[in-house]
Amino acid sequence: MTTLKYIICTIFCFNMLTSCTNNFAETNEDPNRINEISPGTLINPIIYGLATHNVNRSASITFDLMQVSVPFPSVSGGLHRYDVSQNIGNSSWYNYYKWLNNIKEMHLAAIKAEDKNCEAIALTLNAMVYANLTDLFGPVPMTEAVKGDDGNFYPAFDTQKFIYETILADLEKANVLYDTTKNMSYADDILFQNDVKKWQKFTNSLHLRLLLRVSNRSEINAFQNMANIINNPELYPVFENNEESAILQITGVTPNVSPWGRPQDFRLSVKIGAFFIDNLKTLEDPRLPFIATKAQDNDNLDIGYKGIPSGYDGPESQFEFNASTLNIDQVENPMQIFILTYAEVAFIKAELAQRGYISEAETHYNNGITAAITQFDTDVPSTYFDNAAVAYDGTLAQIMLQKYYALYFVDYQQWFEYRRTGLPKLPTTDAMLNDKIMPARFYYPTDVQIKNVSNYSKAIEMLGGPDDINTAVWWDN
């Protein structure tokens, strides 16, 4: 038998074998045979693979949909005008199922080794990925998914209700499985360095995120369940500060390197969206220089921070200045990849309090802002909360505007939260397509439509509408 250094990433999906090698994954000498693994073997490849995929999709998709940035020049079409391609979701579909296959192997190995902590981590990662998948597409394969080794290349789809009920139950189970008195017996994981208490807080913080996501469905009783978690920190510990946040620290030391091999590509043909930057200016926000560069006039003189409107109409020559673009310092080694932060948890609490389920909405709101700013290693100005645009006014709209900035660069979360709440209010233009309506989901990949026809047809029935970008998913109905 050969010695296993890292697990090869493989998945059978719809009669396709997708294999992956990356900085954290190497093939065995015998590609047809994998030795028995320990559950700890897979943690780092999974974390790195998911985090780097998600941060790339955030820059490529979420930024355009949520008016963070604008491709420029772009005189027609484009995602910022809601011109959504048929295969826009392909990358996430196949990447997520690839990593779900590895998470499954980790879960099985943890059960075999009777490693409750690794079993809980596997359940947590599984829930996080399936949540993103079903929020992107609606019904997706779960019960029969990642079973190519059993000969099932055409899995049936599950309803989004079933998927959410399953992953919420799995997070409940994971919380109970953790044994914080026991150390993890593997090399340090790259997210929490084997800190079991932080992993448990990640599980419960994710639980809050996903309960909030489905809170429009009265049968879930999500708000009360969230209040039960928050009011019982001994049983359900959650993130309490930035140091506990699920933030992957990219060190720049191989193999833990920035997914942008050429950092300059991060802002290639990209300008900051006017909505995004103008609000930061109104807030007098210290994150501005970290995120954006200053605009310049035709004489190359700085004119402060100035963006381009999303979905702009007419030629690019109408903008007689060189607009602000993304600061590449954000993606140069070393960098941070935000997975789920304390700031997000604080804003979840703020919304729950604003809706009357817990108390101290203003405190949670202020905590969220402070955490979201300081996680960039930036200080909060002493006068920041004196600004009328910042001072808590009791509205959900204000909470969601600040949460929008707290979710900057967090995979698809800005878009998911906008679809749940319609906030923050994003400006529209006559050049926007799709009747100026924000897309509600992605199309299923063409390969799925062609190669898994019968189950695809059943998935459309579950979806309750055509396979297009305007059919609302279950929790948005």
Side-chain angles (χ1 to χ4, degrees), residues 223-475:
F223 287 123
Q224 188 58 57
N225 288 332
M226 293 165 65
N228 292 341
I229 291 173
I230 291 168
N231 290 329
N232 194 349
E234 290 297 319
L235 180 59
Y236 296 103
V238 298
F239 293 147
E240 298 176 87
N241 52 62
N242 282 347
E243 289 67 34
E244 295 175 342
S245 293
I247 301 175
L248 179 58
Q249 302 294 334
I250 298 293
T251 63
V253 178
T254 304
N256 188 11
V257 296
S258 168
W260 278 270
R262 285 168 40 90
Q264 61 267 36
D265 291 345
F266 176 56
R267 66 182 183 199
L268 185 64
S269 300
V270 171
K271 300 298 181 183
I272 297 288
F275 173 84
F276 183 84
I277 207 165
D278 287 348
N279 275 291
L280 285 177
K281 288 165 63 178
T282 299
L283 298 170
E284 299 176 358
D285 200 284
R287 286 169 285 193
L288 260 172
F290 179 83
I291 294 172
T293 65
K294 288 186 177 180
Q296 296 179 324
D297 63 18
N298 290 333
D299 295 321
N300 295 322
L301 297 176
D302 286 349
I303 56 173
Y305 298 99
K306 194 170 184 179
I308 300 291
S310 290
Y312 66 89
D313 196 5
E316 64 270 17
S317 58
Q318 66 185 287
F319 304 106
E320 298 179 347
F321 58 93
N322 184 10
S324 297
T325 187
L326 293 164
N327 187 341
I328 63 174
D329 289 350
Q330 299 172 85
V331 298
E332 290 182 316
N333 291 309
M335 64 172 287
Q336 298 184 116
I337 297 180
F338 303 104
I339 299 172
L340 198 164
T341 66
Y342 164 62
E344 181 179 349
V345 172
F347 283 117
I348 290 171
K349 290 180 177 180
E351 179 175 346
L352 202 60
Q354 192 271 342
R355 293 179 182 273
Y357 288 90
I358 61 174
S359 61
E360 301 185 53
E362 183 173 2
T363 297
H364 297 308
Y365 167 81
N366 290 345
N367 288 344
I369 292 173
T370 300
I373 291 174
T374 56
Q375 71 186 13
F376 288 119
D377 197 25
T378 302
D379 293 329
V380 180
S382 59
T383 58
Y384 188 81
F385 290 96
D386 296 333
N387 187 333
V390 176
Y392 182 61
D393 65 7
T395 65
L396 181 61
Q398 191 183 42
I399 292 171
M400 294 308 299
L401 178 63
Q402 286 284 356
K403 188 176 183 181
Y404 166 75
Y405 288 102
L407 292 176
Y408 170 73
F409 233 156
V410 185
D411 61 70
Y412 294 101
Q413 296 305 312
Q414 283 181 332
W415 181 41
F416 294 160
E417 284 294 86
Y418 179 87
R419 285 159 49 193
R420 180 179 69 86
T421 65
L423 297 169
K425 293 292 185 183
L426 299 174
T428 59
T429 71
D430 290 338
M432 287 181 170
L433 306 178
N434 200 44
D435 293 327
K436 308 178 187 178
I437 298 172
M438 173 69 76
R441 59 180 291 276
F442 289 158
Y443 303 98
Y444 289 114
T446 304
D447 284 346
V448 174
Q449 301 176 33
I450 295 172
K451 297 180 180 180
N452 197 14
V453 178
S454 176
N455 288 319
Y456 167 72
S457 297
K458 293 175 183 177
I460 301 307
E461 293 179 14
M462 295 177 191
L463 185 61
D467 182 12
D468 67 30
I469 60 174
N470 294 317
T471 301
V473 299
W474 168 74
W475 50 257

Side-chain angles (χ1 to χ4, degrees), residues 126-257:
N126 192 72
M128 181 178 71
V129 179
Y130 269 116
N132 272 17
L133 260 174
T134 194
D135 291 349
L136 288 172
F137 298 99
V140 297
M142 184 183 199
T143 306
E144 295 185 4
V146 294
K147 290 188 176 181
D149 52 353
D150 296 330
N152 187 352
F153 305 137
Y154 308 103
F157 288 61
D158 293 287
T159 67
Q160 193 171 31
K161 180 175 185 289
F162 172 82
I163 292 167
Y164 258 96
E165 287 175 345
T166 300
I167 59 181
L168 290 172
D170 283 349
L171 292 172
E172 190 76 42
K173 178 181 178 181
N175 178 58
V176 176
L177 280 172
Y178 284 111
D179 185 347
T180 58
T181 67
K182 291 185 178 180
N183 295 323
M184 293 171 64
S185 55
Y186 312 104
D188 282 0
D189 70 80
I190 56 175
L191 186 57
F192 293 123
Q193 294 73 50
N194 289 6
D195 189 323
V196 177
K197 292 181 180 179
K198 288 182 180 179
W199 273 110
Q200 186 180 27
K201 289 187 175 187
F202 178 39
T203 295
N204 292 318
S205 298
L206 179 64
H207 200 168
L208 289 177
R209 173 196 277 180
L210 301 188
L211 281 169
L212 185 60
R213 183 66 36 76
V214 296
S215 57
N216 289 337
R217 302 297 310 197
S218 59
E219 64 267 35
I220 301 297
N221 199 21
F223 287 123
Q224 188 58 57
N225 288 332
M226 293 165 65
N228 292 341
I229 291 173
I230 291 168
N231 290 329
N232 194 349
E234 290 297 319
L235 180 59
Y236 296 103
V238 298
F239 293 147
E240 298 176 87
N241 52 62
N242 282 347
E243 289 67 34
E244 295 175 342
S245 293
I247 301 175
L248 179 58
Q249 302 294 334
I250 298 293
T251 63
V253 178
T254 304
N256 188 11
V257 296

